[in-house]
Amino acid sequence: MSDIEEHSSADETEPQQQPADAASARSMGTSRLPDPGDFDFGSIETPAELAPHVAPVMSPVPKTPVLEASTLPPPIDRVRAERDRLVPRWIWGVVGGVIGAVVLIVVAIVLVTNASRVVVPNVTGMSYGEAQTALAGAGFEARVAERRFSSETADVVLTQTPAGGARIAPGSKVSVVVSAGIEEFSMPDVVGDGLQLAKGLLEERGLAVRVENVTSDEASNTVLSSIPASGATVRSGDVVRLQVAAPQGADTTLKRYDLNGVAVIIDPGNPATGKDDVTLDIARRIRSLVEASGGSVQMLRTDDGGTVSESLRAEQARESSAAAGVGLSLRVGGDAGRVVSGSGKASKVASDFPSVAVGQLQIAVPPVSTSNDTGDDVFGGVAYPWTRIVIGSWAAPDDDAAFSDPRWADSVARAVYTALGKSFGTRINQ
Protein backbone atom coordinates (compact mmCIF):
# COMPACT_ATOMS: atom_id res chain seq x y z
CA MET A 1 0.00 0.00 0.00
CA SER A 2 1.27 3.47 -0.87
CA ASP A 3 1.95 6.29 1.44
CA ILE A 4 -1.05 8.20 0.03
CA GLU A 5 -3.40 5.44 0.70
CA GLU A 6 -1.99 5.00 4.19
CA HIS A 7 -2.55 8.68 4.85
CA SER A 8 -6.13 8.51 3.62
CA SER A 9 -6.83 5.51 5.85
CA ALA A 10 -5.47 7.30 8.79
CA ASP A 11 -7.73 10.25 8.12
CA GLU A 12 -10.75 8.05 7.92
CA THR A 13 -9.92 5.94 10.99
CA GLU A 14 -8.87 8.84 13.27
CA PRO A 15 -11.36 11.69 13.10
CA GLN A 16 -10.07 14.95 14.54
CA GLN A 17 -11.60 16.23 17.74
CA GLN A 18 -13.69 19.41 17.40
CA PRO A 19 -13.49 22.13 19.97
CA ALA A 20 -16.43 22.16 22.28
CA ASP A 21 -17.35 25.83 21.56
CA ALA A 22 -16.20 29.00 19.87
CA ALA A 23 -14.08 29.97 22.82
CA SER A 24 -12.27 26.68 22.58
CA ALA A 25 -11.74 27.24 18.87
CA ARG A 26 -10.21 30.66 19.51
CA SER A 27 -7.99 29.04 22.18
CA MET A 28 -6.82 26.59 19.62
CA GLY A 29 -5.66 29.37 17.33
CA THR A 30 -8.34 28.98 14.64
CA SER A 31 -11.01 31.39 13.45
CA ARG A 32 -13.52 28.68 12.66
CA LEU A 33 -16.89 29.32 14.26
CA PRO A 34 -18.94 26.45 15.65
CA ASP A 35 -21.17 24.90 13.08
CA PRO A 36 -24.79 25.17 14.01
CA GLY A 37 -25.14 21.58 12.92
CA ASP A 38 -22.88 20.44 15.76
CA PHE A 39 -25.59 21.31 18.25
CA ASP A 40 -29.00 19.88 18.49
CA PHE A 41 -31.25 22.88 18.66
CA GLY A 42 -34.24 20.64 18.83
CA SER A 43 -33.45 19.86 22.42
CA ILE A 44 -33.84 23.53 23.40
CA GLU A 45 -37.11 24.10 25.12
CA THR A 46 -36.81 27.68 26.46
CA PRO A 47 -35.09 30.84 25.24
CA ALA A 48 -32.91 30.75 28.30
CA GLU A 49 -31.46 27.47 27.15
CA LEU A 50 -30.76 28.98 23.68
CA ALA A 51 -28.95 32.09 24.88
CA PRO A 52 -25.59 30.45 25.66
CA HIS A 53 -25.41 29.06 22.17
CA VAL A 54 -26.41 32.12 20.11
CA ALA A 55 -23.54 34.39 21.13
CA PRO A 56 -20.85 32.04 19.83
CA VAL A 57 -22.66 31.63 16.54
CA MET A 58 -23.24 35.40 15.70
CA SER A 59 -20.30 37.50 14.66
CA PRO A 60 -19.76 40.57 16.80
CA VAL A 61 -20.87 43.79 15.03
CA PRO A 62 -18.07 46.34 15.06
CA LYS A 63 -18.94 49.66 16.58
CA THR A 64 -18.98 52.70 14.29
CA PRO A 65 -16.51 55.20 15.63
CA VAL A 66 -18.14 58.44 16.69
CA LEU A 67 -16.46 61.49 15.17
CA GLU A 68 -16.43 64.56 17.26
CA ALA A 69 -17.96 67.62 15.55
CA SER A 70 -15.29 69.93 14.20
CA THR A 71 -15.39 73.49 15.48
CA LEU A 72 -14.20 76.67 13.67
CA PRO A 73 -11.53 78.69 15.33
CA PRO A 74 -12.80 81.78 17.06
CA PRO A 75 -12.67 84.98 14.88
CA ILE A 76 -9.65 87.15 15.27
CA ASP A 77 -10.58 90.49 16.67
CA ARG A 78 -8.32 93.01 14.93
CA VAL A 79 -8.40 96.22 16.83
CA ARG A 80 -7.27 99.18 14.72
CA ALA A 81 -6.40 102.49 16.12
CA GLU A 82 -8.91 105.21 15.02
CA ARG A 83 -7.36 107.78 12.66
CA ASP A 84 -7.67 111.44 13.33
CA ARG A 85 -10.14 113.21 10.88
CA LEU A 86 -8.60 115.80 8.59
CA VAL A 87 -11.59 118.09 9.20
CA PRO A 88 -13.47 117.67 12.45
CA ARG A 89 -17.18 117.14 12.19
CA TRP A 90 -18.00 120.27 14.13
CA ILE A 91 -16.31 122.40 11.46
CA TRP A 92 -18.71 121.07 8.79
CA GLY A 93 -21.60 121.99 11.02
CA VAL A 94 -20.26 125.53 11.41
CA VAL A 95 -19.73 125.87 7.63
CA GLY A 96 -23.27 124.66 6.91
CA GLY A 97 -24.67 127.11 9.41
CA VAL A 98 -22.72 130.02 7.89
CA ILE A 99 -23.88 129.16 4.37
CA GLY A 100 -27.48 128.93 5.50
CA ALA A 101 -27.21 132.27 7.24
CA VAL A 102 -25.70 133.93 4.13
CA VAL A 103 -28.50 132.54 1.93
CA LEU A 104 -31.13 133.86 4.31
CA ILE A 105 -29.47 137.27 4.39
CA VAL A 106 -29.26 137.46 0.56
CA VAL A 107 -32.89 136.42 0.19
CA ALA A 108 -33.93 139.01 2.75
CA ILE A 109 -31.95 141.73 0.97
CA VAL A 110 -33.48 140.82 -2.40
CA LEU A 111 -36.99 140.82 -0.96
CA VAL A 112 -36.47 144.12 0.78
CA THR A 113 -34.86 145.66 -2.32
CA ASN A 114 -37.62 144.50 -4.65
CA ALA A 115 -40.27 145.68 -2.25
CA SER A 116 -38.67 149.12 -2.21
CA ARG A 117 -38.27 149.45 -6.02
CA VAL A 118 -40.59 151.83 -7.86
CA VAL A 119 -41.95 151.68 -11.43
CA VAL A 120 -40.41 154.28 -13.74
CA PRO A 121 -43.08 156.37 -15.52
CA ASN A 122 -42.93 156.64 -19.32
CA VAL A 123 -42.04 160.24 -20.15
CA THR A 124 -41.18 159.81 -23.83
CA GLY A 125 -43.05 162.40 -25.89
CA MET A 126 -43.50 164.76 -22.95
CA SER A 127 -41.85 168.13 -22.72
CA TYR A 128 -38.79 168.11 -20.48
CA GLY A 129 -40.65 170.11 -17.80
CA GLU A 130 -43.51 167.62 -17.75
CA ALA A 131 -41.04 164.74 -17.63
CA GLN A 132 -39.27 166.27 -14.62
CA THR A 133 -42.56 166.63 -12.77
CA ALA A 134 -43.67 163.08 -13.55
CA LEU A 135 -40.34 161.59 -12.53
CA ALA A 136 -40.09 163.65 -9.34
CA GLY A 137 -43.60 162.56 -8.36
CA ALA A 138 -42.45 158.93 -8.59
CA GLY A 139 -39.31 159.64 -6.56
CA PHE A 140 -36.77 159.93 -9.38
CA GLU A 141 -34.49 162.65 -10.69
CA ALA A 142 -34.44 163.60 -14.39
CA ARG A 143 -31.06 164.12 -16.09
CA VAL A 144 -30.53 165.36 -19.67
CA ALA A 145 -28.02 163.01 -21.30
CA GLU A 146 -28.14 164.63 -24.75
CA ARG A 147 -29.90 167.28 -26.79
CA ARG A 148 -30.40 166.02 -30.34
CA PHE A 149 -31.68 167.80 -33.44
CA SER A 150 -34.82 166.13 -34.75
CA SER A 151 -38.12 166.80 -36.44
CA GLU A 152 -39.79 166.78 -33.01
CA THR A 153 -40.58 170.02 -31.27
CA ALA A 154 -37.72 171.41 -29.25
CA ASP A 155 -37.53 170.26 -25.61
CA VAL A 156 -39.55 167.10 -26.22
CA VAL A 157 -38.16 163.92 -24.65
CA LEU A 158 -37.09 161.52 -27.42
CA THR A 159 -35.85 158.57 -25.35
CA GLN A 160 -35.28 157.65 -21.72
CA THR A 161 -33.08 155.25 -19.75
CA PRO A 162 -34.32 153.17 -17.92
CA ALA A 163 -37.37 152.75 -20.09
CA GLY A 164 -40.84 153.36 -18.79
CA GLY A 165 -42.19 150.42 -16.79
CA ALA A 166 -38.83 149.36 -15.34
CA ARG A 167 -38.54 148.99 -11.55
CA ILE A 168 -35.59 150.75 -9.91
CA ALA A 169 -34.70 152.11 -6.49
CA PRO A 170 -36.35 155.40 -5.54
CA GLY A 171 -34.03 158.39 -5.81
CA SER A 172 -32.29 156.98 -8.90
CA LYS A 173 -31.57 159.20 -11.90
CA VAL A 174 -33.42 158.72 -15.19
CA SER A 175 -31.49 159.87 -18.26
CA VAL A 176 -33.42 161.47 -21.11
CA VAL A 177 -32.53 162.56 -24.63
CA VAL A 178 -34.25 165.83 -25.46
CA SER A 179 -35.00 167.26 -28.89
CA ALA A 180 -33.05 170.33 -29.87
CA GLY A 181 -35.65 171.11 -32.49
CA ILE A 182 -35.29 171.39 -36.22
CA GLU A 183 -31.94 172.61 -37.38
CA GLU A 184 -31.33 174.14 -40.77
CA PHE A 185 -27.87 173.57 -42.16
CA SER A 186 -25.99 172.94 -45.37
CA MET A 187 -26.00 169.41 -46.69
CA PRO A 188 -22.61 167.84 -45.85
CA ASP A 189 -20.47 166.60 -48.73
CA VAL A 190 -20.32 162.81 -48.36
CA VAL A 191 -19.59 161.90 -52.01
CA GLY A 192 -16.61 159.54 -52.11
CA ASP A 193 -17.07 158.43 -48.50
CA GLY A 194 -17.89 154.89 -47.50
CA LEU A 195 -21.56 154.17 -46.86
CA GLN A 196 -21.23 153.57 -43.12
CA LEU A 197 -19.23 156.77 -42.57
CA ALA A 198 -21.62 158.90 -44.64
CA LYS A 199 -24.72 157.41 -43.09
CA GLY A 200 -23.41 157.93 -39.56
CA LEU A 201 -22.52 161.56 -40.25
CA LEU A 202 -25.93 162.39 -41.73
CA GLU A 203 -27.93 160.60 -39.05
CA GLU A 204 -26.02 162.45 -36.34
CA ARG A 205 -27.36 165.68 -37.87
CA GLY A 206 -30.92 164.32 -37.66
CA LEU A 207 -31.31 163.35 -41.32
CA ALA A 208 -33.02 160.15 -42.47
CA VAL A 209 -30.92 158.22 -45.00
CA ARG A 210 -32.15 156.00 -47.83
CA VAL A 211 -29.64 154.02 -49.90
CA GLU A 212 -29.90 153.16 -53.61
CA ASN A 213 -27.46 150.71 -55.21
CA VAL A 214 -26.10 151.78 -58.58
CA THR A 215 -23.81 149.90 -60.97
CA SER A 216 -20.42 151.55 -60.93
CA ASP A 217 -16.70 150.94 -61.37
CA GLU A 218 -16.10 152.54 -57.97
CA ALA A 219 -15.34 150.42 -54.93
CA SER A 220 -18.31 148.69 -53.39
CA ASN A 221 -20.40 150.85 -51.00
CA THR A 222 -18.80 154.12 -52.10
CA VAL A 223 -21.20 157.09 -52.11
CA LEU A 224 -21.55 158.28 -55.71
CA SER A 225 -24.02 161.13 -55.20
CA SER A 226 -26.50 162.54 -52.69
CA ILE A 227 -29.94 164.05 -53.10
CA PRO A 228 -30.05 166.86 -52.02
CA ALA A 229 -26.54 167.66 -53.22
CA SER A 230 -23.88 168.95 -50.91
CA GLY A 231 -24.32 172.62 -49.97
CA ALA A 232 -28.15 172.55 -50.24
CA THR A 233 -30.12 173.74 -47.23
CA VAL A 234 -31.60 170.83 -45.27
CA ARG A 235 -33.38 170.51 -41.94
CA SER A 236 -33.34 167.88 -39.26
CA GLY A 237 -35.78 165.12 -40.15
CA ASP A 238 -35.35 165.52 -43.93
CA VAL A 239 -34.82 162.39 -46.03
CA VAL A 240 -31.54 162.17 -47.92
CA ARG A 241 -31.01 159.62 -50.71
CA LEU A 242 -27.53 158.29 -51.23
CA GLN A 243 -26.60 156.55 -54.47
CA VAL A 244 -23.99 153.95 -53.61
CA ALA A 245 -21.80 151.70 -55.75
CA ALA A 246 -23.44 148.28 -55.77
CA PRO A 247 -21.60 145.45 -53.96
CA GLN A 248 -19.15 143.54 -56.14
CA GLY A 249 -20.93 140.88 -58.17
CA ALA A 250 -24.30 142.68 -58.03
CA ASP A 251 -25.76 143.54 -61.43
CA THR A 252 -28.48 146.18 -61.46
CA THR A 253 -28.85 146.17 -65.24
CA LEU A 254 -32.39 145.33 -66.30
CA LYS A 255 -32.55 141.83 -67.80
CA ARG A 256 -34.90 141.32 -70.72
CA TYR A 257 -37.35 138.40 -70.90
CA ASP A 258 -39.57 136.98 -73.61
CA LEU A 259 -43.15 137.09 -72.27
CA ASN A 260 -45.00 136.25 -75.49
CA GLY A 261 -48.36 134.67 -74.61
CA VAL A 262 -48.08 135.63 -70.92
CA ALA A 263 -51.14 137.54 -69.66
CA VAL A 264 -50.75 139.59 -66.47
CA ILE A 265 -53.54 141.26 -64.48
CA ILE A 266 -52.57 144.27 -62.36
CA ASP A 267 -54.63 145.72 -59.51
CA PRO A 268 -53.48 149.24 -58.52
CA GLY A 269 -55.19 149.94 -55.21
CA ASN A 270 -57.33 153.09 -54.95
CA PRO A 271 -55.31 156.14 -53.75
CA ALA A 272 -55.70 157.58 -50.27
CA THR A 273 -57.74 160.78 -50.10
CA GLY A 274 -55.60 163.80 -50.93
CA LYS A 275 -52.55 161.67 -51.82
CA ASP A 276 -50.73 161.00 -55.07
CA ASP A 277 -51.83 157.96 -57.08
CA VAL A 278 -48.51 156.14 -56.62
CA THR A 279 -49.87 152.64 -57.19
CA LEU A 280 -51.30 153.57 -60.60
CA ASP A 281 -47.98 155.16 -61.60
CA ILE A 282 -46.04 152.01 -60.77
CA ALA A 283 -48.69 149.82 -62.47
CA ARG A 284 -48.26 151.79 -65.72
CA ARG A 285 -44.49 151.27 -65.58
CA ILE A 286 -44.94 147.49 -65.08
CA ARG A 287 -47.39 147.38 -67.97
CA SER A 288 -44.91 149.12 -70.29
CA LEU A 289 -42.15 146.62 -69.47
CA VAL A 290 -44.41 143.56 -69.86
CA GLU A 291 -45.91 144.71 -73.16
CA ALA A 292 -42.46 145.59 -74.51
CA SER A 293 -41.51 141.96 -73.86
CA GLY A 294 -44.51 140.55 -75.79
CA GLY A 295 -46.88 139.99 -72.86
CA SER A 296 -50.38 141.38 -72.34
CA VAL A 297 -51.70 143.34 -69.35
CA GLN A 298 -55.20 143.84 -67.96
CA MET A 299 -55.54 146.80 -65.57
CA LEU A 300 -58.30 146.73 -62.95
CA ARG A 301 -58.34 150.55 -62.90
CA THR A 302 -58.37 152.96 -65.82
CA ASP A 303 -55.56 155.32 -66.70
CA ASP A 304 -57.66 158.39 -65.84
CA GLY A 305 -57.12 157.64 -62.14
CA GLY A 306 -60.74 156.88 -61.31
CA THR A 307 -61.47 154.58 -58.38
CA VAL A 308 -63.11 151.16 -58.74
CA SER A 309 -64.78 149.24 -55.91
CA GLU A 310 -63.00 146.18 -54.54
CA SER A 311 -65.98 143.95 -55.31
CA LEU A 312 -65.89 144.85 -59.01
CA ARG A 313 -62.12 144.42 -59.18
CA ALA A 314 -62.40 141.05 -57.44
CA GLU A 315 -65.05 139.91 -59.95
CA GLN A 316 -62.81 140.84 -62.89
CA ALA A 317 -59.86 139.06 -61.27
CA ARG A 318 -61.83 135.82 -60.82
CA GLU A 319 -63.03 135.90 -64.44
CA SER A 320 -59.54 136.48 -65.85
CA SER A 321 -57.48 133.70 -67.42
CA ALA A 322 -54.21 135.48 -66.65
CA ALA A 323 -50.94 133.68 -65.95
CA ALA A 324 -50.26 135.89 -62.92
CA GLY A 325 -51.76 138.68 -60.85
CA VAL A 326 -49.98 141.67 -59.30
CA GLY A 327 -51.60 143.84 -56.61
CA LEU A 328 -50.17 147.22 -55.48
CA SER A 329 -51.30 148.91 -52.27
CA LEU A 330 -50.29 151.65 -49.82
CA ARG A 331 -50.66 152.00 -46.05
CA VAL A 332 -51.89 155.24 -44.55
CA GLY A 333 -50.13 154.48 -41.23
CA GLY A 334 -47.46 152.13 -39.97
CA ASP A 335 -43.74 151.69 -40.44
CA ALA A 336 -41.72 152.15 -43.60
CA GLY A 337 -40.89 149.28 -45.93
CA ARG A 338 -42.44 146.88 -48.38
CA VAL A 339 -44.67 143.96 -47.32
CA VAL A 340 -45.29 141.13 -49.79
CA SER A 341 -47.99 138.46 -49.59
CA GLY A 342 -49.47 136.11 -52.17
CA SER A 343 -50.02 132.54 -53.30
CA GLY A 344 -47.99 130.49 -55.75
CA LYS A 345 -50.39 127.54 -55.62
CA ALA A 346 -53.56 127.78 -57.69
CA SER A 347 -56.08 125.33 -59.12
CA LYS A 348 -54.53 125.38 -62.59
CA VAL A 349 -50.84 126.10 -62.16
CA ALA A 350 -48.19 126.40 -59.46
CA SER A 351 -45.35 128.92 -59.33
CA ASP A 352 -42.83 130.44 -56.92
CA PHE A 353 -43.75 133.89 -58.23
CA PRO A 354 -44.44 135.48 -54.78
CA SER A 355 -41.08 134.41 -53.33
CA VAL A 356 -39.23 135.54 -56.47
CA ALA A 357 -40.91 138.95 -56.16
CA VAL A 358 -39.72 139.23 -52.54
CA GLY A 359 -36.13 138.60 -53.61
CA GLN A 360 -36.18 141.15 -56.41
CA LEU A 361 -37.80 143.85 -54.28
CA GLN A 362 -35.28 143.24 -51.50
CA ILE A 363 -32.49 144.02 -53.96
CA ALA A 364 -34.14 147.07 -55.50
CA VAL A 365 -36.10 148.79 -52.69
CA PRO A 366 -35.28 147.38 -49.25
CA PRO A 367 -36.47 146.80 -46.60
CA VAL A 368 -38.95 144.06 -47.53
CA SER A 369 -40.88 141.71 -45.28
CA THR A 370 -43.37 138.94 -46.02
CA SER A 371 -46.89 138.15 -44.88
CA ASN A 372 -48.66 134.78 -44.89
CA ASP A 373 -52.04 136.42 -45.46
CA THR A 374 -53.65 134.83 -48.54
CA GLY A 375 -57.13 136.23 -47.97
CA ASP A 376 -56.72 139.06 -50.45
CA ASP A 377 -59.92 141.01 -51.16
CA VAL A 378 -59.23 141.02 -54.91
CA PHE A 379 -57.11 137.94 -55.71
CA GLY A 380 -58.38 135.59 -53.02
CA GLY A 381 -59.67 132.42 -54.70
CA VAL A 382 -58.32 133.07 -58.22
CA ALA A 383 -57.01 130.17 -60.32
CA TYR A 384 -53.52 131.60 -60.98
CA PRO A 385 -50.49 132.66 -58.90
CA TRP A 386 -50.58 136.20 -57.53
CA THR A 387 -48.71 138.55 -55.24
CA ARG A 388 -49.83 141.64 -53.31
CA ILE A 389 -47.14 144.29 -52.69
CA VAL A 390 -47.77 146.96 -50.06
CA ILE A 391 -45.20 149.43 -51.34
CA GLY A 392 -44.94 151.56 -48.19
CA SER A 393 -46.59 153.87 -45.68
CA TRP A 394 -47.62 157.49 -46.04
CA ALA A 395 -46.87 157.93 -42.33
CA ALA A 396 -43.18 157.03 -42.73
CA PRO A 397 -41.06 160.02 -43.82
CA ASP A 398 -38.67 157.80 -45.76
CA ASP A 399 -41.48 156.22 -47.80
CA ASP A 400 -43.29 159.53 -48.22
CA ALA A 401 -40.20 161.01 -49.83
CA ALA A 402 -39.72 157.97 -52.07
CA PHE A 403 -43.29 158.06 -53.42
CA SER A 404 -42.54 161.33 -55.23
CA ASP A 405 -39.31 160.02 -56.77
CA PRO A 406 -39.78 158.69 -60.33
CA ARG A 407 -36.57 156.69 -60.10
CA TRP A 408 -37.84 154.89 -57.00
CA ALA A 409 -41.12 154.04 -58.74
CA ASP A 410 -39.11 152.74 -61.69
CA SER A 411 -37.05 150.53 -59.35
CA VAL A 412 -40.24 148.92 -58.00
CA ALA A 413 -41.60 148.35 -61.52
CA ARG A 414 -38.34 146.80 -62.74
CA ALA A 415 -38.23 144.44 -59.73
CA VAL A 416 -41.81 143.23 -60.41
CA TYR A 417 -41.05 142.82 -64.14
CA THR A 418 -37.94 140.76 -63.37
CA ALA A 419 -39.94 138.51 -61.03
CA LEU A 420 -42.55 137.95 -63.78
CA GLY A 421 -39.81 137.20 -66.32
CA LYS A 422 -38.03 134.71 -64.01
CA SER A 423 -41.32 132.96 -63.16
CA PHE A 424 -43.18 132.91 -66.50
CA GLY A 425 -40.85 134.05 -69.30
CA THR A 426 -37.64 133.12 -71.08
CA ARG A 427 -34.44 135.08 -70.61
CA ILE A 428 -33.26 137.00 -73.69
CA ASN A 429 -29.49 137.02 -74.07
CA GLN A 430 -28.27 140.55 -74.67
Side-chain angles (χ1 to χ4, degrees):
M1 178 180 298
S2 64
D3 293 336
I4 296 174
E5 290 176 349
E6 290 179 357
H7 183 70
S8 301
S9 301
D11 290 339
E12 294 175 357
T13 57
E14 297 179 4
Q16 296 182 0
Q17 294 182 349
Q18 300 292 333
D21 52 28
S24 300
R26 286 194 298 272
S27 66
M28 292 176 67
T30 177
S31 59
R32 179 180 180 274
L33 294 176
D35 186 353
D38 294 341
F39 181 74
D40 183 8
F41 286 96
S43 62
I44 300 302
E45 295 181 354
T46 64
E49 296 178 359
L50 176 63
H53 303 283
V54 172
V57 174
M58 298 180 62
S59 299
V61 178
K63 294 183 178 180
T64 302
V66 178
L67 298 178
E68 295 183 0
S70 61
T71 57
L72 297 175
I76 300 175
D77 186 10
R78 299 179 184 271
V79 179
R80 297 182 180 180
E82 184 176 357
R83 297 180 181 179
D84 294 336
R85 295 179 177 271
L86 295 177
V87 180
R89 293 181 177 177
W90 65 269
I91 291 182
W92 291 115
V94 172
V95 171
V98 171
I99 293 174
V102 170
V103 171
L104 290 176
I105 292 172
V106 171
V107 171
I109 291 174
V110 171
L111 292 176
V112 172
T113 302
N114 287 338
S116 62
R117 289 179 180 271
V118 180
V119 176
V120 179
N122 184 9
V123 296
T124 302
M126 297 182 183
S127 68
Y128 181 60
E130 293 172 337
Q132 281 184 305
T133 302
L135 291 172
F140 302 110
E141 179 183 350
R143 182 179 71 88
V144 178
E146 179 185 355
R147 290 187 179 273
R148 181 185 302 167
F149 289 110
S150 75
S151 58
E152 294 290 341
T153 304
D155 216 34
V156 168
V157 175
L158 303 177
T159 63
Q160 68 179 88
T161 305
R167 299 181 67 91
I168 60 175
S172 301
K173 292 183 178 181
V174 177
S175 299
V176 295
V177 175
V178 178
S179 172
I182 296 175
E183 178 193 21
E184 288 191 354
F185 54 93
S186 296
M187 172 69 186
D189 185 4
V190 294
V191 175
D193 292 343
L195 174 60
Q196 295 304 318
L197 175 62
K199 188 175 181 182
L201 175 63
L202 297 176
E203 288 179 345
E204 283 181 1
R205 303 297 299 269
L207 298 173
V209 179
R210 185 164 64 84
V211 178
E212 299 174 355
N213 289 324
V214 178
T215 302
S216 173
D217 294 332
E218 295 290 336
S220 175
N221 289 325
T222 299
V223 177
L224 304 176
S225 65
S226 66
I227 304 171
S230 62
T233 301
V234 292
R235 301 193 311 166
S236 302
D238 286 352
V239 176
V240 174
R241 298 196 307 275
L242 298 180
Q243 292 187 333
V244 179
Q248 296 298 327
D251 188 357
T252 58
T253 303
L254 180 65
K255 307 297 188 300
R256 305 296 297 182
Y257 292 88
D258 181 1
L259 293 174
N260 281 303
V262 177
V264 179
I265 186 169
I266 303 178
D267 173 44
N270 291 325
T273 303
K275 301 292 185 180
D276 294 336
D277 203 344
V278 183
T279 57
L280 184 58
D281 179 33
I282 295 174
R284 291 182 185 133
R285 296 171 187 269
I286 297 172
R287 179 179 63 186
S288 297
L289 292 169
V290 171
E291 291 179 345
S293 299
S296 61
V297 175
Q298 177 186 357
M299 299 278 282
L300 297 184
R301 286 180 57 206
T302 59
D303 284 347
D304 60 8
T307 61
V308 180
S309 66
E310 282 188 348
S311 60
L312 181 57
R313 286 151 46 206
E315 182 181 352
Q316 294 180 54
R318 286 192 299 269
E319 294 174 351
S320 175
S321 57
V326 177
L328 301 169
S329 302
L330 278 165
R331 295 190 305 274
V332 175
D335 297 330
R338 269 47 63 199
V339 180
V340 181
S341 59
S343 175
K345 298 179 180 179
S347 59
K348 294 182 180 180
V349 294
S351 170
D352 56 356
F353 173 49
S355 60
V356 175
V358 170
Q360 294 302 311
L361 289 165
Q362 185 65 53
I363 295 172
V365 286
V368 177
S369 60
T370 59
S371 171
N372 295 325
D373 184 11
T374 58
D376 192 78
D377 292 334
V378 175
F379 291 116
V382 299
Y384 45 83
W386 60 273
T387 185
R388 168 72 61 181
I389 304 167
V390 179
I391 60 177
S393 169
W394 283 112
D398 196 4
D399 286 351
D400 190 6
F403 296 157
S404 59
D405 184 357
R407 289 176 300 179
W408 182 87
D410 195 50
S411 296
V412 176
R414 288 155 65 102
V416 174
Y417 165 77
T418 301
L420 289 167
K422 284 178 173 290
S423 300
F424 306 101
T426 303
R427 172 75 180 279
I428 299 175
N429 294 324
Q430 295 174 326

